[in-house]
Structures are given as C-alpha cells and as structure tokens.
Amino acid sequence: MIPVTDTIALDESEIEESFIRGSGPGGQNVNKVATAVQLRFDARRSRSLPDMVAIRLMKLAGSRLTNDGVIVITAQRFRTQERNRQDALERLLDLIRQATETPKPRRATRPTLASKQRRLESKGRRSEVKKGRSAKPGFD
C-alpha cells in the first residue's frame, strides 16, 4: 500500500508501469535503454479512492486521461529508470492529493454602491467623448 493522505492509500496492484525509450537526457544511452516510464492508473475502477475523489481526479487529469478512465503519466526527465519511476509515482500522488481537497463553494455577491457609481461615471465620460466626435450641424 502506498500512502497518499492520512485516510487514502493506493494498492500497488492498481498501478501499472511500462518502460519505453525516452527522449530526454542520456547521451548515446538514450537510444539503447528504455529509461522512460509510462505509469497507468485506472481512476474509474480504483477501489482505493472514494467516488468523489475519483471524479475530481478525472477532471484534474485533463489530457492525461484516456476514454476508459485511465490516467497515463509519462516520466522521462531523468537518466535512470528508477528515478523516472519515482517521478511518475510522485506526480500521480500529487494529482490525487489535489483531488482530495474539496473546492470552496463560491458565494454570490452583489456589486457595491461605490462600484455601481464608478461604472456609471465611466459610462458618462465615455458617452461625452463619443458625443464630441459627432459632426455638429452648421460648423462646416
């Protein structure tokens, strides 16, 4: 089990890793060794996550989410496979931690009297500027 928060821990069997050739640093080694990591996590079918967290996680994932509800994270920042694995896992855990935070509901507010007055004054000034641009009869 991988701890995410105090109440949530991921089962390691839910995370699938595959190794691919990376395009990042590595010199000649980059063409021979598969150091990049492609981490896959099925958020839709995960038993470790509460439903609300899974829904928010899928929204946060954006383009990293497939049509099947699988989050794909590719890490190729480092030269070694192990560091790329750690990087991919940390990025997934950060994403899940963000999803556990419930968004603060927005409270509807009304504009203040001063802001209404400022708006009307600026409209009046703008109106005067535009009136000044019009052609006045008898001044040809």
Side-chain angles (χ1 to χ4, degrees):
M1 298 297 275
I2 303 166
V4 180
T5 64
D6 295 337
T7 56
I8 299 174
L10 287 182
D11 189 8
E12 293 172 16
S13 63
E14 293 180 355
I15 297 173
E16 182 183 316
E17 292 175 338
S18 57
F19 301 100
I20 53 176
R21 286 200 196 132
S23 63
Q28 293 175 346
N29 197 40
V30 80
N31 298 323
K32 298 183 288 184
V33 183
T35 54
V37 177
Q38 197 173 55
L39 184 137
R40 293 176 165 273
F41 176 71
D42 195 346
R44 191 177 291 165
R45 293 181 184 86
S46 175
R47 294 176 307 279
S48 304
L49 298 178
D51 290 338
M52 291 307 294
V53 173
I55 290 168
R56 278 196 298 272
L57 177 63
M58 288 189 284
K59 285 182 184 174
L60 280 173
S63 63
R64 294 171 285 202
L65 186 73
T66 65
N67 293 334
D68 301 330
V70 176
I71 297 174
V72 180
I73 296 176
T74 304
Q76 57 186 9
R77 204 178 344 182
F78 300 104
R79 290 174 182 244
T80 63
Q81 202 177 70
E82 187 55 40
R83 288 193 55 197
N84 281 329
R85 285 181 69 199
Q86 291 171 354
D87 183 40
L89 185 61
E90 275 305 311
R91 283 167 41 196
L92 175 67
L93 295 179
D94 286 342
L95 203 61
I96 295 172
R97 284 185 196 109
Q98 285 178 13
T100 59
E101 297 170 6
T102 54
K104 183 180 168 186
R106 183 191 179 282
R107 276 204 204 114
T109 59
R110 295 173 61 195
T112 63
L113 181 62
S115 69
K116 287 180 184 177
Q117 288 173 342
R118 280 193 305 269
R119 182 180 64 86
L120 292 175
E121 287 170 9
S122 71
K123 282 171 68 88
R125 280 194 302 270
R126 194 81 193 132
S127 171
E128 290 300 318
V129 167
K130 290 187 174 192
K131 279 181 192 170
R133 290 180 189 157
S134 65
K136 296 191 174 49
F139 283 106
D140 285 352

